[in-house]
Amino acid sequence: MSAQPEITQRDLRNRSKEIMDAVQGGQSFTVTRDGHQIGELIPLRRRRRFVPREEFAGMSRTAPDISLDAFRADQDRTAEQGTDDPYAR
């Protein structure tokens, strides 16, 4: 049994605005055709652009310590160290 409401392909076609408004509001649907489930209509997850300062500070307090020397060595191993500057003389 589906945890989200089922809508038929015909309902999706005939009530698309109403259904899309519900999806925009966070509702998910299982789409059926001829009584068979064929897909899901789900809202996209919204990515946060900013993290509140207090949340960042809280995460930072529990983050593991890093070795700056090891971090720099990792960067040096993965980054090309040669100069490919066509304007360099």
Coordinates of all heavy atoms in Angstrom, one line a residue:
M1 N 0.8 -1.2 0.0 CA 0.0 0.0 0.0 C 0.9 1.2 0.0 O 1.9 1.3 0.7 CB -0.9 0.0 1.2 CG -1.9 1.1 1.2 SD -3.3 0.5 2.2 CE -4.6 1.5 1.4
S2 N 0.5 2.2 -0.8 CA 1.3 3.5 -0.9 C 1.0 4.4 0.3 O -0.1 4.6 0.7 CB 0.9 4.1 -2.2 OG 1.6 5.3 -2.4
A3 N 2.1 5.0 0.7 CA 2.0 6.0 1.9 C 1.5 7.3 1.4 O 1.1 8.2 2.2 CB 3.4 6.1 2.6
Q4 N 1.6 7.6 0.1 CA 1.2 8.9 -0.4 C -0.1 8.7 -1.3 O -0.3 7.6 -1.8 CB 2.3 9.5 -1.2 CG 2.9 8.7 -2.3 CD 4.3 9.2 -2.6 OE1 5.0 9.8 -1.8 NE2 4.7 8.9 -3.8
P5 N -0.9 9.7 -1.5 CA -2.1 9.6 -2.3 C -1.7 9.2 -3.8 O -0.7 9.6 -4.3 CB -2.7 10.9 -2.3 CG -1.9 11.8 -1.3 CD -0.7 11.1 -1.0
E6 N -2.6 8.4 -4.3 CA -2.5 8.0 -5.7 C -3.3 8.9 -6.6 O -4.5 9.2 -6.2 CB -2.9 6.5 -6.0 CG -1.9 5.6 -5.4 CD -2.2 4.1 -5.8 OE1 -3.2 3.9 -6.4 OE2 -1.4 3.3 -5.4
I7 N -2.8 9.3 -7.7 CA -3.6 10.0 -8.7 C -3.4 9.3 -10.1 O -2.4 8.8 -10.3 CB -3.1 11.5 -8.8 CG1 -1.7 11.6 -9.1 CG2 -3.5 12.3 -7.6 CD1 -1.2 13.0 -9.5
T8 N -4.5 9.4 -10.8 CA -4.4 8.8 -12.2 C -3.8 9.7 -13.1 O -3.7 10.9 -12.9 CB -5.8 8.4 -12.7 OG1 -6.6 9.6 -12.9 CG2 -6.5 7.4 -11.7
Q9 N -3.3 9.2 -14.2 CA -2.7 10.0 -15.3 C -3.8 11.0 -15.7 O -3.5 12.2 -16.0 CB -2.3 9.1 -16.4 CG -1.8 9.8 -17.6 CD -1.4 8.9 -18.8 OE1 -1.7 7.7 -18.7 NE2 -0.9 9.4 -19.8
R10 N -5.0 10.6 -15.8 CA -6.1 11.5 -16.2 C -6.3 12.6 -15.2 O -6.4 13.8 -15.6 CB -7.4 10.7 -16.4 CG -8.6 11.7 -16.8 CD -9.8 10.9 -17.0 NE -9.7 10.2 -18.2 CZ -10.5 9.3 -18.7 NH1 -11.6 8.9 -17.9 NH2 -10.3 8.7 -19.8
D11 N -6.2 12.3 -13.9 CA -6.3 13.4 -12.9 C -5.2 14.3 -13.0 O -5.4 15.6 -12.9 CB -6.3 12.8 -11.5 CG -7.6 12.2 -11.0 OD1 -8.6 12.5 -11.6 OD2 -7.6 11.3 -10.1
L12 N -4.0 13.8 -13.3 CA -2.8 14.7 -13.4 C -3.0 15.6 -14.6 O -2.7 16.8 -14.5 CB -1.6 13.9 -13.6 CG -0.3 14.6 -13.8 CD1 0.0 15.5 -12.6 CD2 0.9 13.6 -13.9
R13 N -3.5 15.1 -15.7 CA -3.8 16.0 -16.9 C -4.9 17.0 -16.6 O -4.7 18.2 -16.9 CB -4.2 15.1 -18.0 CG -4.4 15.9 -19.3 CD -4.9 15.1 -20.5 NE -6.2 14.6 -20.2 CZ -6.6 13.3 -20.3 NH1 -5.7 12.4 -20.7 NH2 -7.8 12.9 -20.0
N14 N -6.0 16.6 -16.0 CA -7.2 17.4 -15.8 C -7.1 18.4 -14.6 O -7.7 19.5 -14.7 CB -8.4 16.6 -15.7 CG -8.8 15.9 -16.9 OD1 -8.4 16.2 -18.0 ND2 -9.5 14.8 -16.8
R15 N -6.3 18.0 -13.6 CA -6.2 18.9 -12.4 C -4.7 19.3 -12.2 O -4.3 19.4 -11.0 CB -6.7 18.1 -11.2 CG -8.2 17.7 -11.4 CD -8.7 16.8 -10.2 NE -8.0 17.0 -8.9 CZ -7.6 16.1 -8.1 NH1 -7.7 14.8 -8.4 NH2 -7.0 16.4 -7.0
S16 N -4.0 19.5 -13.3 CA -2.6 19.7 -13.1 C -2.2 20.9 -12.2 O -1.3 20.8 -11.4 CB -1.9 19.9 -14.5 OG -2.4 21.0 -15.1
K17 N -2.9 22.0 -12.3 CA -2.6 23.2 -11.5 C -2.8 22.9 -10.0 O -2.0 23.2 -9.2 CB -3.5 24.4 -11.9 CG -3.1 25.6 -11.0 CD -4.0 26.8 -11.3 CE -3.6 28.0 -10.5 NZ -3.0 27.9 -9.2
E18 N -4.0 22.3 -9.7 CA -4.3 21.9 -8.3 C -3.2 21.0 -7.8 O -2.7 21.1 -6.6 CB -5.7 21.3 -8.3 CG -6.1 20.8 -6.9 CD -7.4 20.0 -7.0 OE1 -8.1 20.1 -8.0 OE2 -7.6 19.2 -6.0
I19 N -2.9 20.0 -8.6 CA -1.9 19.0 -8.1 C -0.5 19.6 -8.0 O 0.2 19.4 -7.0 CB -1.9 17.8 -9.1 CG1 -3.2 17.0 -8.9 CG2 -0.7 16.9 -8.8 CD1 -3.5 16.0 -10.0
M20 N -0.1 20.4 -8.9 CA 1.2 21.1 -8.9 C 1.3 22.0 -7.7 O 2.4 22.2 -7.1 CB 1.6 21.7 -10.2 CG 1.7 20.8 -11.4 SD 2.8 19.4 -11.0 CE 4.3 20.1 -11.3
D21 N 0.2 22.7 -7.4 CA 0.2 23.6 -6.2 C 0.4 22.8 -5.0 O 1.1 23.2 -4.0 CB -1.1 24.4 -6.1 CG -1.2 25.5 -7.2 OD1 -0.2 25.8 -7.8 OD2 -2.4 26.0 -7.4
A22 N -0.2 21.6 -4.9 CA -0.1 20.7 -3.7 C 1.4 20.2 -3.6 O 2.0 20.2 -2.5 CB -1.0 19.5 -3.8
V23 N 2.0 19.9 -4.8 CA 3.4 19.5 -4.8 C 4.3 20.6 -4.3 O 5.2 20.4 -3.5 CB 3.8 19.0 -6.2 CG1 5.4 18.7 -6.2 CG2 3.1 17.7 -6.5
Q24 N 4.0 21.8 -4.8 CA 4.8 23.0 -4.3 C 4.6 23.2 -2.8 O 5.6 23.6 -2.2 CB 4.3 24.2 -5.1 CG 5.2 25.4 -4.8 CD 4.8 26.6 -5.6 OE1 3.7 26.7 -6.2 NE2 5.6 27.6 -5.6
G25 N 3.5 22.8 -2.3 CA 3.3 22.9 -0.8 C 3.8 21.7 0.0 O 3.7 21.7 1.2
G26 N 4.5 20.8 -0.7 CA 5.1 19.7 0.0 C 4.5 18.3 -0.1 O 5.0 17.3 0.4
Q27 N 3.3 18.2 -0.8 CA 2.6 17.0 -1.0 C 3.3 16.1 -2.1 O 3.7 16.7 -3.1 CB 1.2 17.2 -1.3 CG 0.3 16.0 -1.6 CD 0.1 15.2 -0.3 OE1 -0.3 15.7 0.7 NE2 0.5 13.9 -0.4
S28 N 3.3 14.8 -1.9 CA 3.8 13.9 -2.9 C 2.7 13.0 -3.4 O 1.7 12.8 -2.6 CB 4.9 13.0 -2.3 OG 6.0 13.7 -1.9
F29 N 2.8 12.5 -4.6 CA 1.7 11.7 -5.2 C 2.4 10.5 -5.9 O 3.5 10.6 -6.4 CB 0.9 12.5 -6.2 CG 0.1 13.6 -5.6 CD1 0.7 14.9 -5.6 CD2 -1.2 13.4 -5.1 CE1 -0.1 16.0 -5.1 CE2 -1.9 14.5 -4.6 CZ -1.3 15.7 -4.6
T30 N 1.6 9.4 -5.9 CA 2.0 8.3 -6.8 C 1.1 8.3 -8.0 O -0.1 8.4 -7.8 CB 1.8 6.9 -6.1 OG1 2.7 6.9 -4.9 CG2 2.2 5.8 -7.0
V31 N 1.6 8.3 -9.2 CA 0.9 8.4 -10.4 C 0.6 7.0 -10.9 O 1.5 6.2 -11.0 CB 1.6 9.3 -11.5 CG1 0.8 9.4 -12.8 CG2 2.0 10.6 -10.9
T32 N -0.7 6.8 -11.3 CA -1.1 5.5 -11.8 C -1.6 5.6 -13.3 O -2.1 6.6 -13.7 CB -2.1 4.8 -11.0 OG1 -3.3 5.6 -11.0 CG2 -1.7 4.6 -9.5
R33 N -1.4 4.5 -14.0 CA -2.0 4.4 -15.3 C -2.6 3.0 -15.4 O -1.9 2.0 -15.2 CB -1.0 4.6 -16.4 CG -1.6 4.4 -17.8 CD -0.5 4.3 -18.9 NE 0.3 5.5 -19.0 CZ 1.5 5.6 -19.5 NH1 2.1 4.5 -20.0 NH2 2.1 6.7 -19.6
D34 N -3.9 2.9 -15.8 CA -4.6 1.6 -15.9 C -4.5 0.8 -14.6 O -4.3 -0.4 -14.7 CB -4.0 0.8 -17.1 CG -4.3 1.5 -18.4 OD1 -5.3 2.2 -18.6 OD2 -3.4 1.4 -19.3
G35 N -4.5 1.5 -13.5 CA -4.4 0.8 -12.2 C -3.1 0.4 -11.7 O -2.9 -0.2 -10.7
H36 N -2.0 0.7 -12.5 CA -0.7 0.4 -12.1 C 0.1 1.6 -11.8 O 0.1 2.6 -12.5 CB 0.0 -0.4 -13.3 CG -0.7 -1.6 -13.7 ND1 -0.6 -2.8 -13.0 CD2 -1.5 -1.8 -14.8 CE1 -1.3 -3.7 -13.6 NE2 -1.9 -3.1 -14.7
Q37 N 0.9 1.5 -10.7 CA 1.7 2.6 -10.3 C 2.9 2.8 -11.3 O 3.6 1.8 -11.6 CB 2.3 2.4 -8.9 CG 1.3 2.4 -7.8 CD 1.9 2.1 -6.5 OE1 3.0 1.7 -6.3 NE2 1.1 2.4 -5.4
I38 N 3.0 4.0 -11.8 CA 4.1 4.2 -12.9 C 5.1 5.2 -12.5 O 6.1 5.4 -13.1 CB 3.5 4.6 -14.2 CG1 2.7 5.9 -14.1 CG2 2.6 3.5 -14.8 CD1 2.3 6.5 -15.5
G39 N 4.8 6.0 -11.4 CA 5.8 7.0 -11.0 C 5.4 7.8 -9.8 O 4.3 7.6 -9.3
E40 N 6.3 8.6 -9.4 CA 6.0 9.5 -8.2 C 6.2 10.9 -8.6 O 7.1 11.3 -9.4 CB 7.0 9.2 -7.1 CG 6.8 7.8 -6.5 CD 7.7 7.5 -5.3 OE1 8.9 7.8 -5.5 OE2 7.3 7.1 -4.3
L41 N 5.4 11.8 -8.1 CA 5.5 13.2 -8.2 C 5.8 13.7 -6.9 O 5.0 13.7 -5.9 CB 4.2 13.8 -8.8 CG 4.1 15.2 -9.2 CD1 5.1 15.5 -10.3 CD2 2.7 15.5 -9.7
I42 N 7.0 14.2 -6.7 CA 7.5 14.6 -5.4 C 8.1 16.0 -5.5 O 8.7 16.4 -6.5 CB 8.6 13.7 -4.8 CG1 9.8 13.6 -5.7 CG2 8.0 12.3 -4.5 CD1 10.9 12.8 -5.1
P43 N 8.0 16.8 -4.4 CA 8.6 18.2 -4.4 C 10.1 18.1 -4.4 O 10.7 17.1 -3.8 CB 8.1 18.8 -3.1 CG 7.6 17.7 -2.3 CD 7.3 16.5 -3.2
L44 N 10.8 19.0 -5.0 CA 12.2 19.1 -4.9 C 12.6 19.6 -3.5 O 11.9 20.4 -2.9 CB 12.7 20.1 -6.0 CG 12.6 19.7 -7.4 CD1 13.0 20.8 -8.3 CD2 13.4 18.4 -7.7
R45 N 13.7 19.0 -3.1 CA 14.2 19.5 -1.8 C 14.8 20.9 -2.0 O 15.6 21.1 -3.0 CB 15.3 18.6 -1.2 CG 14.7 17.3 -0.8 CD 15.8 16.4 -0.2 NE 16.6 16.0 -1.3 CZ 17.9 15.5 -1.2 NH1 18.4 15.5 0.0 NH2 18.5 15.1 -2.2
R46 N 14.5 21.8 -1.2 CA 15.1 23.2 -1.3 C 16.4 23.2 -0.6 O 16.5 22.8 0.6 CB 14.1 24.2 -0.7 CG 12.8 24.3 -1.4 CD 12.0 25.5 -0.9 NE 10.7 25.5 -1.3 CZ 10.3 26.0 -2.5 NH1 11.2 26.5 -3.3 NH2 9.0 26.0 -2.9
R47 N 17.4 23.7 -1.3 CA 18.7 23.8 -0.7 C 18.8 25.1 0.1 O 18.4 26.2 -0.4 CB 19.8 23.8 -1.8 CG 19.9 22.4 -2.4 CD 21.0 22.3 -3.4 NE 21.8 23.5 -3.5 CZ 22.8 23.7 -4.3 NH1 23.1 22.7 -5.1 NH2 23.5 24.8 -4.4
R48 N 19.3 25.0 1.2 CA 19.5 26.3 2.0 C 20.8 27.0 1.5 O 21.8 26.3 1.2 CB 19.7 26.0 3.5 CG 18.5 25.5 4.1 CD 18.6 25.4 5.6 NE 19.9 24.8 6.1 CZ 20.2 24.7 7.3 NH1 19.4 25.1 8.3 NH2 21.3 24.1 7.7
R49 N 20.7 28.3 1.3 CA 21.8 29.0 0.9 C 22.7 29.5 2.0 O 23.9 29.6 1.9 CB 21.4 30.3 0.1 CG 20.7 29.9 -1.2 CD 20.3 31.2 -1.9 NE 20.8 31.1 -3.2 CZ 20.8 32.0 -4.1 NH1 20.3 33.2 -3.8 NH2 21.3 31.9 -5.3
F50 N 22.1 29.7 3.2 CA 22.8 30.3 4.3 C 22.5 29.4 5.5 O 21.4 28.9 5.7 CB 22.5 31.7 4.6 CG 22.7 32.6 3.4 CD1 21.7 33.0 2.6 CD2 24.0 33.0 3.1 CE1 21.9 33.8 1.5 CE2 24.2 33.9 2.0 CZ 23.2 34.3 1.2
V51 N 23.5 29.3 6.4 CA 23.4 28.6 7.6 C 23.4 29.7 8.7 O 24.3 30.5 8.7 CB 24.5 27.5 7.8 CG1 24.3 26.9 9.2 CG2 24.4 26.5 6.7
P52 N 22.5 29.7 9.6 CA 22.5 30.7 10.7 C 23.8 30.6 11.5 O 24.4 29.5 11.7 CB 21.3 30.3 11.6 CG 20.4 29.6 10.7 CD 21.3 28.9 9.7
R53 N 24.3 31.7 11.9 CA 25.6 31.7 12.6 C 25.6 30.8 13.8 O 26.6 30.1 14.0 CB 25.8 33.2 13.1 CG 27.1 33.4 13.9 CD 27.3 34.8 14.3 NE 27.1 35.7 13.2 CZ 27.8 36.7 12.9 NH1 28.8 37.0 13.7 NH2 27.6 37.4 11.8
E54 N 24.5 30.7 14.6 CA 24.5 29.9 15.8 C 24.6 28.4 15.4 O 25.3 27.6 16.0 CB 23.2 30.1 16.6 CG 23.0 31.5 17.2 CD 22.6 32.5 16.1 OE1 22.0 32.1 15.1 OE2 22.9 33.7 16.3
E55 N 24.0 28.0 14.3 CA 24.0 26.6 13.8 C 25.4 26.3 13.3 O 26.0 25.2 13.6 CB 23.0 26.4 12.7 CG 22.9 25.0 12.2 CD 21.8 24.8 11.2 OE1 20.9 25.6 11.1 OE2 21.9 23.7 10.5
F56 N 26.1 27.2 12.6 CA 27.4 27.0 12.1 C 28.4 26.8 13.3 O 29.2 26.0 13.4 CB 27.9 28.1 11.2 CG 29.3 27.9 10.7 CD1 29.6 27.1 9.7 CD2 30.3 28.6 11.3 CE1 30.9 26.9 9.3 CE2 31.6 28.5 10.9 CZ 31.9 27.6 9.9
A57 N 28.2 27.7 14.3 CA 29.1 27.7 15.5 C 28.9 26.4 16.2 O 29.9 25.7 16.7 CB 28.8 28.9 16.4
G58 N 27.7 25.9 16.3 CA 27.4 24.6 17.0 C 28.0 23.4 16.3 O 28.6 22.5 16.9
M59 N 27.9 23.4 14.9 CA 28.6 22.4 14.2 C 30.1 22.4 14.3 O 30.7 21.4 14.3 CB 28.1 22.5 12.7 CG 26.7 22.1 12.4 SD 26.2 22.1 10.7 CE 26.6 23.8 10.2
S60 N 30.6 23.6 14.3 CA 32.1 23.8 14.4 C 32.6 23.3 15.7 O 33.7 22.8 15.7 CB 32.4 25.3 14.2 OG 32.0 25.7 12.9
R61 N 31.9 23.5 16.8 CA 32.4 23.0 18.1 C 32.5 21.5 18.1 O 33.3 21.0 18.9 CB 31.4 23.5 19.2 CG 31.6 24.9 19.6 CD 30.8 25.3 20.8 NE 29.4 25.3 20.7 CZ 28.7 26.3 20.2 NH1 29.3 27.4 19.8 NH2 27.4 26.2 20.1
T62 N 31.7 20.8 17.4 CA 31.7 19.3 17.4 C 32.5 18.7 16.2 O 32.6 17.5 16.1 CB 30.3 18.7 17.4 OG1 29.6 19.1 16.2 CG2 29.6 19.2 18.7
A63 N 33.1 19.6 15.4 CA 33.8 19.1 14.2 C 35.2 18.5 14.7 O 35.8 19.0 15.6 CB 34.0 20.2 13.2
P64 N 35.7 17.5 14.0 CA 37.0 17.0 14.4 C 38.1 17.9 14.1 O 38.0 18.8 13.1 CB 37.1 15.7 13.5 CG 36.2 15.9 12.4 CD 35.1 16.8 12.9
D65 N 39.2 17.9 14.8 CA 40.3 18.7 14.5 C 41.0 18.2 13.3 O 41.0 17.0 13.0 CB 41.3 18.6 15.7 CG 40.8 19.3 16.9 OD1 40.0 20.3 16.8 OD2 41.3 19.0 18.0
I66 N 41.6 19.1 12.5 CA 42.3 18.7 11.3 C 43.8 19.2 11.4 O 44.1 20.2 12.1 CB 41.7 19.3 10.0 CG1 41.7 20.8 10.0 CG2 40.3 18.8 9.8 CD1 41.4 21.5 8.7
S67 N 44.6 18.5 10.8 CA 46.0 18.9 10.7 C 46.2 19.7 9.5 O 45.9 19.3 8.4 CB 46.9 17.6 10.6 OG 48.2 18.0 10.1
L68 N 46.6 21.0 9.7 CA 46.8 21.9 8.6 C 47.9 21.4 7.6 O 47.8 21.6 6.4 CB 47.1 23.3 9.1 CG 45.9 23.9 9.8 CD1 46.3 25.4 10.2 CD2 44.7 24.0 8.9
D69 N 48.9 20.8 8.2 CA 50.0 20.2 7.4 C 49.5 19.1 6.5 O 49.8 19.0 5.3 CB 51.2 19.7 8.2 CG 51.9 20.9 8.9 OD1 51.9 22.0 8.4 OD2 52.5 20.6 10.0
A70 N 48.7 18.2 7.0 CA 48.1 17.1 6.2 C 47.1 17.6 5.2 O 47.1 17.2 4.0 CB 47.4 16.1 7.1
F71 N 46.4 18.7 5.5 CA 45.5 19.3 4.6 C 46.2 19.9 3.4 O 45.9 19.7 2.3 CB 44.6 20.3 5.3 CG 43.7 21.1 4.4 CD1 42.5 20.4 4.0 CD2 43.9 22.4 4.0 CE1 41.6 21.1 3.1 CE2 43.0 23.0 3.2 CZ 41.9 22.4 2.8
R72 N 47.3 20.6 3.7 CA 48.1 21.2 2.6 C 48.8 20.1 1.8 O 48.8 20.2 0.5 CB 49.1 22.1 3.2 CG 50.0 22.8 2.3 CD 49.2 23.7 1.3 NE 50.1 24.2 0.3 CZ 49.8 25.1 -0.5 NH1 48.6 25.7 -0.4 NH2 50.6 25.6 -1.4
A73 N 49.2 19.1 2.4 CA 49.8 18.0 1.6 C 48.8 17.3 0.7 O 49.1 17.0 -0.4 CB 50.4 16.9 2.6
D74 N 47.6 17.1 1.2 CA 46.5 16.6 0.3 C 46.3 17.5 -0.9 O 46.1 17.1 -2.0 CB 45.2 16.4 1.1 CG 45.3 15.2 2.0 OD1 46.1 14.4 1.9 OD2 44.4 15.2 2.9
Q75 N 46.2 18.8 -0.6 CA 46.0 19.8 -1.7 C 47.2 19.7 -2.7 O 47.0 19.7 -3.9 CB 45.9 21.2 -1.2 CG 44.6 21.5 -0.5 CD 44.6 22.9 0.0 OE1 45.6 23.5 0.4 NE2 43.4 23.5 -0.2
D76 N 48.4 19.6 -2.2 CA 49.6 19.6 -3.1 C 49.6 18.3 -4.0 O 50.0 18.4 -5.1 CB 50.9 19.7 -2.3 CG 51.1 21.1 -1.7 OD1 50.5 22.0 -2.2 OD2 51.9 21.2 -0.8
R77 N 49.1 17.2 -3.4 CA 49.1 16.0 -4.1 C 48.0 16.0 -5.3 O 48.2 15.4 -6.3 CB 48.8 14.8 -3.2 CG 50.0 14.2 -2.6 CD 49.7 12.8 -2.0 NE 48.6 12.8 -1.0 CZ 48.6 13.2 0.2 NH1 49.8 13.6 0.7 NH2 47.6 13.2 1.0
T78 N 46.9 16.7 -5.0 CA 45.8 16.6 -6.0 C 45.9 17.8 -7.0 O 45.3 17.7 -8.1 CB 44.5 16.6 -5.3 OG1 44.4 17.8 -4.5 CG2 44.3 15.4 -4.5
A79 N 46.5 18.9 -6.7 CA 46.6 20.0 -7.5 C 47.8 20.0 -8.4 O 48.9 19.6 -7.9 CB 46.5 21.3 -6.7
E80 N 47.7 20.4 -9.6 CA 48.9 20.5 -10.5 C 49.7 21.6 -10.0 O 49.3 22.7 -9.8 CB 48.4 20.7 -11.9 CG 47.7 19.6 -12.6 CD 47.4 19.8 -14.0 OE1 48.1 20.6 -14.7 OE2 46.4 19.2 -14.5
Q81 N 51.0 21.3 -9.9 CA 51.9 22.3 -9.3 C 52.7 23.1 -10.4 O 53.3 24.1 -10.1 CB 52.9 21.6 -8.4 CG 52.3 20.9 -7.2 CD 51.5 21.9 -6.3 OE1 52.0 23.0 -6.0 NE2 50.3 21.6 -6.0
G82 N 52.6 22.6 -11.6 CA 53.3 23.3 -12.7 C 52.6 24.5 -13.1 O 51.4 24.7 -12.9
T83 N 53.3 25.4 -13.8 CA 52.6 26.6 -14.3 C 52.3 26.4 -15.7 O 53.1 26.1 -16.5 CB 53.5 27.9 -14.1 OG1 54.7 27.7 -14.8 CG2 53.8 28.2 -12.6
D84 N 51.0 26.6 -16.1 CA 50.6 26.5 -17.5 C 50.2 27.8 -18.0 O 49.3 27.9 -18.8 CB 49.4 25.5 -17.5 CG 49.8 24.1 -17.3 OD1 51.0 23.8 -17.4 OD2 48.9 23.3 -16.9
D85 N 50.8 28.9 -17.4 CA 50.4 30.2 -17.8 C 51.0 30.5 -19.2 O 52.2 30.6 -19.3 CB 50.9 31.2 -16.8 CG 50.5 32.6 -17.0 OD1 49.8 32.9 -18.0 OD2 50.8 33.5 -16.2
P86 N 50.1 30.7 -20.2 CA 50.7 31.0 -21.5 C 51.3 32.4 -21.6 O 52.1 32.6 -22.6 CB 49.4 30.9 -22.4 CG 48.3 31.2 -21.5 CD 48.7 30.7 -20.2
Y87 N 51.1 33.2 -20.6 CA 51.7 34.6 -20.7 C 53.0 34.7 -19.9 O 53.6 35.7 -19.9 CB 50.7 35.6 -20.2 CG 49.4 35.6 -21.0 CD1 48.2 35.0 -20.4 CD2 49.3 36.0 -22.3 CE1 47.1 34.9 -21.2 CE2 48.2 36.0 -23.0 CZ 47.0 35.4 -22.5 OH 45.9 35.4 -23.2
A88 N 53.3 33.6 -19.2 CA 54.5 33.6 -18.4 C 55.8 33.6 -19.3 O 55.7 32.9 -20.4 CB 54.6 32.5 -17.4
R89 N 56.8 34.3 -19.0 CA 58.0 34.3 -19.8 C 59.1 33.6 -19.1 O 59.3 33.5 -18.0 CB 58.4 35.7 -20.2 CG 57.3 36.3 -21.0 CD 57.8 37.7 -21.4 NE 56.7 38.5 -21.9 CZ 56.5 38.7 -23.2 NH1 57.4 38.3 -24.1 NH2 55.5 39.4 -23.6

